Amino acid sequence: MRIDGPSWRPEMADGYRLLEQADVIDWPGYEPISRDGTTLSERDDMRSEVFSRGLNARVDGTVRNIEARGFTHAALSFGSRNHTPDVTVSRSMLHNCAVPGYGYGINLYNGTVTSELNYYDATRHAITGFGHPDCGYTCRGDLFGPNAMLTPIDMHNLDENGGEDGDLTAGKFLNTYECTFLARERFATPGWYSRSGCPAIGIRGHPAPGAPGYDTRDCQFVHFEEGDALDQRNVSFPTGWRRSGNEFGGLENWSEGKGAPVNWTGTSPAPSVDRTSGVEKRRASAQAGARCLGAVEAAMRAD
């Protein structure tokens, strides 16, 4: 599989079930779904009416130079219980996929993904992993924008995804190298999430037995402390999680060579998102992504 250059979106992306009560939330996104469902099948039934997905692939391949936006489930989805593809996604913009309960830039059921020099913004999770023992991903040089519904980087455990009770296996690896995270708070959505602190990386268990585990290195976080940026649940932190060379505390005076390459150019990556219109917020986010990717290209040419 090789995909290079298209721009994907559902036919009704901008007007698709937009919230009418935009004045009571921070990000007028997609229609929230009731929390009444308690089982996986009940939740799937509730979300089926707003389901859209850009790509579902179970083979090795590359995806680059695309923009994918407005998908309720996921812009890109890879793997299955019995399929473990190896995929690289690079130099792309994945944004505004933020329906409660779904909402992924990349959904990795199984296999491995390498994410390089991408821009993510306004998702529930920019990248999520299912938690299978063969499930793992590496982010290198990615920029995660200032708008998030939940943690941009996420790895589930098998217990919460229909596996054996108490199985806290959460993938085989999750690496983040030279990435920048700009969301310190998550935006609110009625009936689901209140505005509150938003960790950058969330891992809900421990690595599979004998697996490499998790590595976070030379990243930049707008969060003030490591404990605000990194969140490991159900086990003690940092189980199987290595960290080194990371910087915390804001957007000023970050070191060269840390975080996404866009910061090397002096270009501010953060868009202005103080507009009241949801459409204007989404447009500002996309425009900022285009500027960031242009700066990344310039930095790479300079090298």
Side-chain angles (χ1 to χ4, degrees), residues 8 23 32 45 69 96 104 119 121 168 267:
W8 291 330
D23 58 330
D45 286 343
R69 63 197 187 278
N96 291 288
Y104 315 120
Y119 175 75
D121 194 39
L168 298 179
T267 301

Side-chain angles (χ1 to χ4, degrees), residues 204-289:
R204 309 190 197 187
H206 56 71
Y214 320 121
D215 193 8
T216 303
R217 187 192 317 158
D218 295 331
C219 292
Q220 294 173 328
F221 298 90
V222 72
H223 310 73
F224 293 111
E225 298 179 357
E226 182 182 72
D228 298 328
L230 309 183
D231 181 29
Q232 189 170 25
R233 301 185 180 184
N234 304 308
V235 298
S236 60
F237 174 79
T239 299
W241 196 339
R242 302 176 301 280
R243 298 99 55 227
S244 63
N246 301 301
E247 294 186 345
F248 304 88
L251 300 175
E252 301 296 330
N253 301 317
W254 278 347
S255 303
E256 184 172 318
K258 304 283 187 179
V262 64
N263 294 307
W264 303 348
T265 69
T267 301
S268 173
S272 173
V273 291
D274 58 355
R275 300 171 176 83
T276 57
S277 163
V279 173
E280 286 300 313
K281 283 187 175 183
R282 287 190 290 276
R283 184 176 296 119
S285 174
Q287 290 172 346

Side-chain angles (χ1 to χ4, degrees), residues 111-131:
T112 58
V113 163
T114 300
S115 172
E116 296 179 324
L117 300 175
N118 297 306
Y119 175 75
Y120 300 90
D121 194 39
T123 59
R124 182 165 169 266
H125 298 300
I127 309 177
T128 189
F130 192 89

Side-chain angles (χ1 to χ4, degrees), residues 100-213:
Y102 283 155
Y104 315 120
I106 296 176
N107 176 46
L108 179 61
Y109 280 116
N110 212 354
T112 58
V113 163
T114 300
S115 172
E116 296 179 324
L117 300 175
N118 297 306
Y119 175 75
Y120 300 90
D121 194 39
T123 59
R124 182 165 169 266
H125 298 300
I127 309 177
T128 189
F130 192 89
H132 286 301
D134 289 325
C135 176
Y137 60 92
T138 295
C139 298
R140 191 183 304 274
D142 291 331
L143 177 64
F144 298 87
N147 304 289
M149 184 180 288
L150 284 178
T151 52
I153 296 294
D154 175 68
M155 181 66 80
H156 286 262
N157 66 57
L158 291 181
D159 176 64
E160 62 189 352
N161 274 336
E164 294 184 10
D165 289 345
D167 187 350
L168 298 179
T169 298
K172 65 177 179 179
F173 66 85
L174 196 170
N175 302 321
T176 44
Y177 302 139
E178 298 178 0
C179 294
T180 296
F181 297 88
L182 299 179
R184 185 184 297 135
E185 292 186 324
R186 65 189 188 191
F187 55 80
T189 51
W192 275 77
Y193 307 120
S194 60
R195 187 174 181 85
S196 62
C198 181
I201 304 173
I203 299 174
R204 309 190 197 187
H206 56 71

